[in-house]
Amino acid sequence: MAQRLLRGLVLFHKFSLLKKPVYYGLNKADFSLQSRDEQLDCLVNAFRDIAGSENVSVAMAVREQHGKDESLHRCKPPDVVVWPQNVEHVSQMAQLCYGNDIPIIPFGAGTGLEGGVGAPKGGVCFDLMKMDKILNLNGEDFDVTVEAGVTRKALNNYLRDTGLWFPVDPGADASLCGMAATSASGTNAVRYGTMRENVINLEVVLADGRVLQTAGKDRRTRKTSAGYNLTNLFVGSEGTLGIITKTTLRLYSIPETMVSAVCSFPSVQAAVDSTVQILQSGIPIARIEFLDDVMMNACNRFSKLEYPVSPTLFLEFHGTRSSLEEQVSVTEEITKGNGGSEYTWAMDPETRNKLWRARHESWYAALALRPGSMAYCTDVCVPVSRLPEVVLETKEDLNRSRLIGPIAGHVGDGNFHCMVLVNPNDPDEQQRVKEFCYRLGRRALAMDGTCTGEHGIGLGKRALLLEEFGSIGIDVMKQIKLTLDPKNIMNPGKVI
Amino acid sequence: FSLPTAACLNSKTMASRVLVGVKRVIDYAVKIRVKPDKTGVVTDGVKHSMNPFCEIAVEQAVRMKEKQLVKEIIAVSCGPQQCQETIRTALAMGADRGIHVDVAGKDSENLGPFQVSKILAALAKKEDVQLIILGKQAIDDDCNQTGQMTSALLDWPQGTFASEVAVEGDKLKVVREVDGGLETILIRLPAVLTADLRLNEPRYATLPNIMKAKKKKIDVMKPGDLAVDISSNLQILSTDEPPQRKAGVKLESAEDLIAKLREIGRI
C-alpha cells in the first residue's frame, strides 16, 4: 500500500504543473488551502500505513514539543511528528519526504542547546526515541551497538554489571545517536575523548531513504584504514546529511577507584596555569573543571555550600589505588605551587557526589542568581595555553557589557561555558547578550580556537562557522551537502 | 600523600561471618509484559540483574569488611542455574565466596519469602554466621518479608529498613526509615539487617574484580541438603496488566462539566 502511494506521489510531483515544492510550514500561504491539506492528508495517511496510526501525530501540542530543545531559540514546530519503530520505517518515510521535497528533522531526547531541532520550513519530525534497543554488546571487544532511542544513562545502567561504561558525559541524559550527531563531549573528555573518538560505526538513513553503514555492516574494529572516513563525516553533522539510526560505540572499563578533590585559587590565572601544568606533567586526569568566583558564589547560595568564593578547580582521578596516590601527590605539588588551597577530598560515592553537586547544579545556580531570568550557555574552545587570556578577557567584557555570566568549564580541553543571564523582557539586554556572544566567538577564533567546543552550530552560529573555516572550507562543506542532500531537505537552515 | 582508607584504628571484629542474600530479578529498566496465558510475566530473553536492594546489602557488607568489622562475606542466592551470575556480581563487589541453592524450573517460580527464609536460617546455622544482611524487599514481588521471617525463625533481633548502621560497643545502632520518620534502635548480634535505599550507594563491579571473582568459590547445594521443604502454600491464580489509561474528554464549559459528572453518577 505504501509503495503504491509512494509511486503515486512521486508521479504527481513529476507530472504536476507545480514545479516548486508544494509543502511548506504553516507560515506559507501562497498556494490554495485545498492542495496543502490534500498533500498533508496524503502524507499522513501514508505514514500511518507504514508506522501505525499511533505513531503519527499532527496535534499542535505534540508538534510544539518537537519544535524546540533546551536552548533559547523560539519554538519552530514541524507539521507532522512520526515515531518510526525500526530503520525500515525511517527509510520508507524518508523516501516519501524526498519524493515530495519535504524537510526532515531528526529528533532524539531534545536536550540540544543550539536550536538544532527547530523546523523553520516546517516538515516532518522523526522522533527516534521508540527505537530503543541495545543490540550486540561485545564485552571482550569493548564495543556495543545501540539504536537511536537509547540514552546515555540507559546504556550505562545496562552495562553496570559488566565492568564497562561509556564515559562521554554531556550532562544531560541525551540520546547517544543525538550525541553522535552533535559531536558531543563532556566533563570526561580530557581523558576519554569526545564522540569523534568513540564512535566506531553508524547506520544512517540518507535523504533519499538509502540506508548507509558508515564503516560497513557490523564492522567494529579498533582501527581501520579502509576508504573514506564516512563515520566522522556524519559525527557532528547535526542531522543535515542523514538520520542516524544506530551507533557502535567504544566502551571503557569502569575505573577501580575514583577520587575527587576541590581546590580554590587566588586568581583565574593561577587556576588555569595549574591546569596547563597538570596536563603537561602527563597525569591522566579524568575530570578537571573550572568554576569562577561568580559561579562559586551562585553555587554556595543555591546548593547551600560553603566553598570559598574564588576561582576553583574540581578534579577527579581514575585508576588503581597506588597510581592514584602518585597522581594526586604530583597534582597537589602543582596546585600548591600556584597558590592553591588545601584539597577537600572525597573517595566514596556519596561524598564524591556531594562534592560535585556544585558543578552539576551550576546551571540552576546561575539562573537562581536573578530569579526570572533565562540564560544562554556559550561554548567556545581554544588551545589550553590561551585559556587564561580568553577567560580573563571574557570576564572583562561581561563587566563592560553589564551582564551577569558565571563561568564553568572543561578547562582540560580549553573549553568553557559562560552562562549569561538574559531578561526575556529586556530587549536591550538581549541585544547586549547577542553582541557579547559574537565577540566571544570571534575572540576564540582569533586565538586559533573554535566557536563551538561541544554544543554544535545549530541555528545561531552559522556566521561564525564561515569565519572559522573561511570560504573554501564552507564551499567544500556545501559541495558535500549538495551531493548527499541535493534538495536540502535534511534539517534545513542548520549548520550551513 | 596517601589515600584515605576506611579502616578505623582499633576496630574490633564484630562478626566473623556475614551472610548476604542476593536475588536475581528482572532488571528494573525493563518494560514488563504479562504472558498471554496470564500465568505470570514474560521472563524469557529478558534482561535480569541483581535486585537493587540486594546490591545495597552487598555494599554494606563489603564496607563493614573494609572497616575490618567482619571477616568473611558469603553471598547466597536461591533459584535456577542463572543465579550464579548474580552471585558472581556479588563476588565482584567484594564478597568472599558464594552459595547457590539450586532450585530449578517450576519450583523456582513458587519460591517465596517463607521458603527462602527457611533456607537462610538453615544456612546461618550451618555456616555459623553472626550477621545476615538482606535487601528490604525484591522489586519483582515487593514482599518485604524475608528478612523479618528469617529473624523470627532464628529468634535473632532485626534491624529492618536500615538507612544507617553503626557500631556501638558490642551492639549495632540501626537507624530505620519508618512512616513517621526515623527510628534508632540498638541491637545485639547475631542479627538480621534489611537495607533501605539510603543506606549507601553501591559500587560498580570493575573489570579486574570481575576477573578475580571468577576464581572465587561458589558451592552448589539443594534445599534438601539443608533439610528444608520448599513446597508452597500459595498459588498464583492470574496475572494482569494494570488497567489501560483511558483517553480524557475535553469539555467546553463548567456547565458541561457538571452535566458530565451527573451523567456518570459522580454527583
Side-chain angles (χ1 to χ4, degrees):
Chain A
M1 173 64 185
Q3 287 288 65
R4 259 189 286 141
L5 260 169
L6 167 64
R7 241 173 288 150
L9 284 169
V10 171
L11 282 171
F12 170 81
H13 176 75
K14 267 173 132 167
F15 295 108
S16 82
L17 295 168
L18 301 150
K19 285 300 170 190
K20 281 207 294 236
V22 291
Y23 194 80
Y24 287 120
L26 289 174
N27 49 349
K28 274 279 184 178
D30 59 351
F31 45 84
S32 78
L33 208 61
Q34 186 89 9
S35 72
R36 192 186 79 201
D37 278 351
E38 273 179 355
Q39 185 82 340
L40 172 60
D41 279 343
C42 236
L43 210 65
V44 167
N45 284 330
F47 289 157
R48 286 195 172 123
D49 280 341
I50 296 171
S53 46
E54 70 279 12
N55 291 315
V56 178
S57 175
V58 292
M60 197 57 202
V62 172
R63 287 158 54 197
E64 280 175 355
Q65 273 180 334
H66 287 80
K68 60 181 174 62
D69 54 20
E70 303 205 347
S71 68
L72 287 181
H73 292 280
R74 276 181 312 122
C75 174
K76 297 179 175 59
D79 295 295
V80 190
V81 179
V82 297
W83 285 267
Q85 315 280 295
N86 53 51
V87 70
E88 286 76 30
H89 289 173
V90 178
S91 172
Q92 285 168 26
M93 294 196 276
Q95 280 177 54
L96 279 173
C97 293
Y98 185 72
N100 290 277
D101 295 7
I102 292 152
I104 295 175
I105 299 103
F107 189 95
T111 55
L113 292 169
E114 292 291 340
V117 297
K121 291 188 177 174
V124 181
C125 173
F126 282 59
D127 184 327
L128 302 164
M129 295 308 278
K130 285 197 178 173
M131 296 169 57
D132 62 357
K133 294 203 243 331
I134 297 176
L135 315 158
N136 208 12
L137 164 66
N138 299 291
E140 287 170 354
D141 298 316
F142 287 76
D143 66 62
V144 67
T145 304
V146 301
E147 286 186 335
V150 178
T151 66
R152 171 182 72 84
K153 287 187 185 168
L155 177 61
N156 278 327
N157 185 45
Y158 184 91
L159 294 173
R160 70 189 188 285
D161 291 337
T162 59
L164 301 170
W165 71 319
F166 185 66
V168 181
D169 172 10
D173 190 18
S175 69
L176 292 158
C177 289
M179 284 164 64
T182 52
S183 190
S185 156
T187 51
N188 279 322
V190 64
R191 171 138 167 189
Y192 298 101
T194 68
M195 290 306 280
R196 274 192 195 184
E197 291 83 45
N198 292 307
V199 173
I200 303 172
N201 197 349
L202 291 171
E203 179 184 82
V204 182
V205 175
L206 299 172
D208 56 11
R210 286 179 297 163
V211 180
L212 165 71
Q213 313 281 346
T214 58
K217 187 160 168 35
D218 294 337
R219 309 224 176 278
R220 49 186 186 84
T221 51
R222 292 186 80 93
K223 58 186 189 182
T224 174
S225 307
Y228 296 157
N229 189 348
L230 295 178
T231 305
N232 274 3
L233 174 63
F234 287 91
V235 173
S237 60
E238 300 183 49
T240 57
L241 298 177
I243 305 168
I244 300 177
T245 50
K246 274 196 197 93
T247 171
T248 305
L249 300 166
R250 189 186 312 286
L251 300 172
Y252 294 77
S253 59
I254 293 175
E256 189 185 303
T257 318
M258 295 200 236
V259 170
S260 302
V262 182
C263 179
S264 39
F265 291 83
S267 65
V268 174
Q269 186 82 36
V272 188
D273 282 347
S274 301
T275 307
V276 176
Q277 288 160 22
I278 290 171
L279 292 171
Q280 285 180 328
S281 65
I283 296 171
I285 194 156
R287 283 196 171 120
I288 178 162
E289 294 285 299
F290 169 78
L291 271 63
D292 77 345
D293 54 327
V294 180
M295 184 59 93
M296 290 311 293
N297 179 37
C299 292
N300 280 344
R301 285 161 63 165
F302 183 78
S303 311
K304 311 229 188 329
L305 302 164
E306 282 162 5
Y307 287 116
V309 178
S310 53
T312 306
L313 284 183
F314 284 71
L315 308 160
E316 191 166 279
F317 305 86
H318 295 173
T320 60
R321 277 190 80 96
S322 42
S323 78
L324 284 196
E325 289 184 353
E326 201 188 300
Q327 284 181 39
V328 173
S329 294
V330 177
T331 308
E332 221 175 357
E333 235 180 272
I334 293 173
T335 55
K336 286 225 165 85
N338 284 302
S341 70
E342 291 294 326
Y343 281 15
T344 310
W345 283 111
M347 208 167 95
D348 61 274
E350 291 85 355
T351 324
R352 265 192 292 118
N353 287 342
K354 215 170 110 186
L355 218 59
W356 280 92
R357 249 179 62 211
R359 173 66 184 90
H360 286 140
E361 293 177 353
S362 54
W363 177 252
Y364 304 104
L367 286 173
L369 274 179
R370 201 177 68 183
S373 300
M374 300 172 77
Y376 176 68
C377 189
T378 71
D379 171 45
V380 299
C381 187
V382 297
V384 185
S385 60
R386 309 296 302 265
L387 199 58
E389 211 181 318
V390 72
V391 172
L392 286 167
E393 277 184 32
T394 305
K395 280 175 81 76
E396 278 168 23
D397 192 351
L398 281 168
N399 277 336
R400 278 198 305 271
S401 317
R402 292 170 290 122
L403 295 170
I404 305 175
I407 293 178
H410 323 300
V411 289
D413 309 315
N415 178 214
F416 72 96
H417 303 298
C418 188
M419 303 184 197
V420 193
L421 297 183
V422 177
N423 182 346
N425 302 319
D426 182 348
D428 177 63
E429 186 168 70
Q430 286 169 12
Q431 186 60 23
R432 279 182 285 134
V433 170
K434 220 169 149 190
E435 287 165 5
F436 165 79
C437 291
Y438 261 110
R439 281 196 299 273
L440 176 56
R442 295 206 170 98
R443 192 175 301 129
L445 291 176
M447 296 189 188
D448 302 341
T450 167
C451 64
T452 170
E454 46 188 22
H455 295 170
I457 297 292
L459 269 177
K461 290 188 174 175
R462 287 176 297 163
L464 286 170
L465 185 68
L466 176 55
E467 287 183 39
E468 184 165 330
F469 278 81
S471 53
I472 297 178
I474 296 294
D475 282 344
V476 172
M477 288 196 212
K478 285 185 175 167
Q479 283 175 304
I480 295 173
K481 168 80 170 168
L482 196 61
T483 309
L484 289 174
D485 179 21
K487 298 186 178 186
N488 190 24
I489 59 169
M490 292 305 309
N491 209 0
K494 317 286 167 42
V495 187
I496 50 174
Chain B
F1 168 79
S2 71
L3 277 176
T5 53
C8 353
L9 298 162
N10 296 329
S11 60
K12 203 175 69 169
T13 302
M14 293 216 76
S16 47
R17 232 160 281 117
V18 165
L19 193 69
V20 181
V22 293
K23 185 177 182 187
R24 178 176 181 265
V25 297
I26 296 179
D27 188 274
Y28 76 84
V30 168
K31 189 168 193 305
I32 306 289
R33 284 176 304 135
V34 174
K35 283 200 277 209
D37 63 3
K38 297 204 174 199
T39 55
V41 298
V42 176
T43 53
D44 282 339
V46 168
K47 181 166 200 274
H48 284 65
S49 50
M50 190 190 294
N51 181 37
F53 294 105
C54 298
E55 285 180 355
I56 298 175
V58 174
E59 176 67 21
Q60 183 60 26
V62 175
R63 287 192 190 186
M64 287 176 87
K65 183 171 168 208
E66 285 171 345
K67 291 199 175 95
Q68 292 167 8
L69 296 167
V70 308
K71 284 224 191 83
E72 191 189 29
I73 304 171
I74 308 169
V76 63
S77 191
C78 309
Q81 174 69 18
Q82 298 96 316
C83 287
Q84 294 200 10
E85 288 162 20
T86 314
I87 299 176
R88 289 270 170 229
T89 306
L91 295 173
M93 284 172 73
D96 298 293
R97 59 185 170 92
I99 295 177
H100 169 214
V101 180
D102 191 7
V103 179
K106 199 79 186 70
D107 289 333
S108 74
E109 285 168 33
N110 291 330
L111 261 190
F114 189 44
Q115 295 92 327
V116 173
S117 60
K118 286 196 275 189
I119 293 172
L120 291 177
L123 277 174
K125 293 202 185 102
K126 177 172 185 287
E127 299 285 341
D128 188 27
V129 306
Q130 288 80 40
L131 185 58
I132 299 179
I133 311 182
L134 306 173
K136 70 169 179 180
Q137 66 197 57
I139 58 170
D140 49 9
D141 53 24
D142 272 349
C143 282
N144 194 330
Q145 296 163 0
T146 309
Q148 292 87 337
M149 287 180 175
T150 309
S151 104
L153 286 169
L154 291 166
D155 197 26
W156 287 2
Q158 53 182 286
T160 54
F161 304 96
S163 66
E164 246 182 78
V165 175
V167 170
E168 245 186 44
D170 59 347
K171 301 198 186 62
L172 284 179
K173 187 176 84 162
V174 181
V175 178
R176 310 178 54 229
E177 293 198 14
V178 297
D179 281 350
L182 298 171
E183 180 191 58
T184 308
I185 59 174
L186 214 55
I187 55 176
R188 247 185 287 268
L189 289 176
V192 175
L193 297 175
T194 71
D196 207 325
L197 196 61
R198 276 162 275 271
L199 181 58
N200 60 48
E201 203 174 308
R203 65 196 62 195
Y204 289 107
T206 62
L207 270 183
N209 288 342
I210 291 177
M211 310 297 335
K212 277 189 226 157
K214 291 195 178 146
K215 302 201 185 90
K216 294 184 184 174
K217 202 161 68 111
I218 298 182
D219 290 316
V220 185
M221 56 185 76
K222 293 236 180 272
D225 302 334
L226 299 165
V228 168
D229 169 22
I230 55 161
S231 58
S232 174
N233 291 335
L234 299 173
Q235 183 196 355
I236 295 181
L237 297 176
S238 84
T239 309
D240 290 286
E241 298 248 358
Q244 286 282 8
R245 193 180 158 188
K246 288 204 277 276
V249 177
K250 260 189 169 160
L251 301 165
E252 295 300 314
S253 68
E255 285 77 22
D256 287 346
L257 176 61
I258 305 285
K260 198 79 187 177
L261 287 171
R262 284 218 176 92
E263 201 181 292
I264 57 174
R266 288 291 190 164
I267 51 169

